[in-house]
Amino acid sequence: MKLLSSIVVAMVLFILPMHSNANPALANVCKVIGTVKDRPYSTNLILIRSGEDERFPIQSVEITNGSFSFEIETQDVEWYELVFSDEFENGISKPISFLAEPGVLLMELYPIHFHRKNKLAGTPFNEELDRYNHVVDEKFPFWKLEDSIRAAEILVDSLSKRSGADSAYNDRLSLNRRKYLDSLEQAYEEMYSGYLTYMYEDVQNRRDLIGLLELSNLFNLIDGGHRTPVNIKFSILKAIFGKQYLVLSNNYLYKNMETSLNASREIVKGERFIDFEAVDFAGEKHFLSQFMNGKITIVHFWGSWCLPCRKKGIELITLYNDFREKGLSVIGVARERSLKDAILAANSDGYPWSNLVELNDKHRIWRKYKMQNSGGDIFVFDEVGNIITYSVSVENLRDLLTTYLN
């Protein structure tokens, strides 16, 4: 089932050709009107830009009596995603990708197992997108294999309950189930290989929003360490991005990809810190470079909502008290939706150092430091601002500081 989960994540791809701009009389507003079918348990949707973290949505969209609506102001055609809140909370979601373009976009959304029935209509880009989605579903019908797996599991569970204490029968049943599921896994592997090959070849022949999203998904697969049965060369993708897709350099998705690619090159031991701007608890703006004061400096990236990050911050307090007279400096950077959340958490945990706050990923700090899908981390810089180490435990950090500062 791990492969099935990977496919659900990987298949967050929708493609369409380019069109001219929609009617300017609509004042650069994309109005979305949607209906939700056969899922009365869903009460909210999360709206994010494609490739962003669902934990930091642009807004939460309420579903009332099976309907929802919202508006997006857009100067350019940009990729967005909707995620059902209940799917996000359950750990497996199927984002609904769409393009914000001037006009009225009509959506019809179904449960995750029937996502192929989702419909987009009303604006040129999204109508092309809708047609393409159905073509892709037919070309790579993962949903059929998903249905087969669910049907097999229901049948086996039913037979197991009726079999009672007949261990021999249960053993035979288990063996047959394993063989059948193995055959489905093999079918997934072959279909997944075909899908990745399709994307890999397509990005090399495009230079539009279609290819940009394909390229983003391929980068995410490689960077996330997902198993890829097809030999996808990162160097080729990077070269394609830098040449063919430069015409989209003002696009939000392009800028995020560019930031992530820079981080993969710059966040390396021995390289200099990446400067950024954030606000303090009083709302005043500062740069990280203002806190790089010729000392060994620990930057604690955390969030009020990230309990492991806060636990590590509390552990850092003793370390800080033991080494600050020897030349250690610490600065905290919290990733938050509001200043209030960071202030309350920092006061509760008792951090004795200054803290900055990245509000709603405004400056892409987490992406700049290769942390876009994590709560936080610890980075250690030397006296001139070069990276000594990162992703280190507090226990190992004590040994490192003893060596450096003694």
Side-chain angles (χ1 to χ4, degrees):
M1 294 304 293
K2 289 183 178 179
L3 183 55
L4 172 58
S5 298
S6 320
I7 296 297
V8 171
V9 174
M11 285 294 292
V12 183
L13 176 66
F14 304 97
I15 306 173
L16 73 166
M18 296 298 289
H19 283 279
S20 61
N21 288 336
N23 186 354
L26 292 172
N28 295 324
V29 172
C30 177
K31 183 174 180 61
V32 181
I33 301 174
T35 58
V36 178
K37 302 288 188 179
D38 303 327
R39 49 186 312 157
Y41 46 85
S42 295
T43 59
N44 287 90
L45 287 156
I46 298 169
L47 174 66
I48 60 172
R49 288 181 180 269
S50 288
E52 293 291 347
D53 194 327
E54 293 96 335
R55 292 171 295 192
F56 291 86
I58 296 172
Q59 71 179 92
S60 177
V61 179
E62 185 177 353
I63 302 170
T64 304
N65 297 324
S67 300
F68 64 91
S69 66
F70 59 92
E71 294 183 353
I72 301 174
E73 291 189 11
T74 177
Q75 297 297 321
D76 300 302
V77 179
E78 298 276 7
W79 285 104
Y80 285 81
E81 294 176 0
L82 285 172
V83 180
F84 281 100
S85 297
D86 52 278
E87 291 180 5
F88 173 65
E89 291 166 1
N90 290 332
I92 297 181
S93 60
K94 176 70 176 179
I96 300 99
S97 292
F98 68 96
L99 280 150
E101 58 179 320
V104 178
L105 169 59
L106 305 176
M107 290 188 176
E108 192 173 288
L109 307 181
Y110 289 80
I112 189 170
H113 298 312
F114 299 97
H115 60 79
R116 66 187 181 279
K117 297 172 69 175
N118 291 346
K119 296 178 183 178
L120 305 174
T123 57
F125 279 97
N126 287 293
E127 288 185 350
E128 285 291 336
L129 171 57
D130 186 74
R131 286 191 289 270
Y132 189 85
N133 289 343
H134 292 296
V135 170
V136 170
D137 279 335
E138 289 301 316
K139 191 176 183 66
F140 303 102
F142 291 101
W143 58 272
K144 290 183 179 179
L145 293 174
E146 294 168 8
D147 289 347
S148 297
I149 289 174
R150 285 194 298 275
E153 291 181 337
I154 291 172
L155 176 61
V156 170
D157 288 343
S158 175
L159 292 173
S160 297
K161 291 175 181 177
R162 290 191 322 208
S163 64
D166 189 344
S167 60
Y169 177 79
N170 282 337
D171 289 343
R172 290 195 302 274
L173 192 65
S174 177
L175 178 61
N176 289 335
R177 177 193 182 190
R178 185 66 262 164
K179 288 180 178 178
Y180 181 60
L181 291 179
D182 284 347
S183 70
L184 292 177
E185 288 280 339
Q186 180 62 34
Y188 255 106
E189 186 82 17
E190 293 172 0
M191 191 177 294
Y192 190 36
S193 295
Y195 178 67
L196 291 179
T197 299
Y198 174 84
M199 280 200 295
Y200 190 43
E201 293 174 351
D202 206 41
V203 298
Q204 298 178 60
N205 297 317
R206 292 185 176 275
R207 58 179 66 207
D208 55 16
L209 287 171
I210 302 169
L212 187 66
L213 188 62
E214 287 181 310
L215 196 56
S216 174
N217 284 338
L218 289 173
F219 276 136
N220 289 338
L221 283 172
I222 296 172
D223 190 51
H226 295 283
R227 182 165 56 93
T228 54
V230 176
N231 184 22
I232 299 175
K233 295 186 179 298
F234 182 83
S235 58
I236 292 178
L237 294 181
K238 189 174 179 180
I240 291 170
F241 176 77
K243 294 179 181 179
Q244 291 178 214
Y245 293 91
L246 188 61
V247 294
L248 297 173
S249 59
N250 289 328
N251 185 273
Y252 188 89
L253 181 59
Y254 181 98
K255 291 178 180 178
N256 267 355
M257 294 169 66
E258 184 177 46
T259 300
S260 295
L261 287 173
N262 288 339
S264 68
R265 181 183 69 251
E266 297 171 356
I267 300 302
V268 178
K269 293 178 182 179
E271 292 296 320
R272 188 167 174 77
F273 74 95
I274 300 174
D275 207 3
F276 56 77
E277 180 185 291
V279 297
D280 62 20
F281 284 173
E284 298 295 325
K285 295 178 181 179
H286 299 274
F287 285 92
L288 176 63
S289 52
Q290 295 174 236
F291 298 88
M292 294 295 188
N293 48 16
K295 298 181 178 180
I296 298 293
T297 301
I298 294 175
V299 180
H300 174 222
F301 294 99
W302 64 286
S304 63
W305 45 273
C306 178
L307 295 182
C309 305
R310 292 175 62 178
K311 179 177 181 293
K312 187 167 285 190
I314 293 171
E315 293 173 352
L316 273 176
I317 295 174
T318 301
L319 192 75
Y320 173 67
N321 289 333
D322 290 346
F323 286 94
R324 65 177 177 175
E325 296 298 328
K326 298 180 180 180
L328 175 65
S329 177
V330 176
I331 175 72
V333 183
R335 186 188 193 190
E336 302 290 348
R337 294 190 183 93
S338 73
L339 276 175
K340 181 180 178 181
D341 292 339
I343 294 170
L344 290 174
N347 289 339
S348 174
D349 296 345
Y351 301 149
W353 48 76
S354 298
N355 279 274
L356 301 177
V357 183
E358 162 78 325
L359 290 171
N360 298 310
D361 287 336
K362 179 179 180 180
H363 299 290
R364 296 187 174 95
I365 295 173
W366 259 242
R367 191 173 290 274
K368 289 177 180 177
Y369 277 82
K370 294 201 302 187
M371 303 181 298
Q372 58 263 32
N373 294 319
S374 68
D377 204 345
I378 287 178
F379 278 73
V380 186
F381 301 92
D382 64 19
E383 294 88 344
V384 296
N386 295 331
I387 299 173
I388 297 175
T389 190
Y390 57 93
S391 299
V392 61
S393 69
V394 175
E395 180 180 352
N396 290 337
L397 192 53
R398 178 174 289 278
D399 294 337
L400 182 148
L401 291 175
T402 299
T403 299
Y404 267 83
L405 296 176
N406 286 342

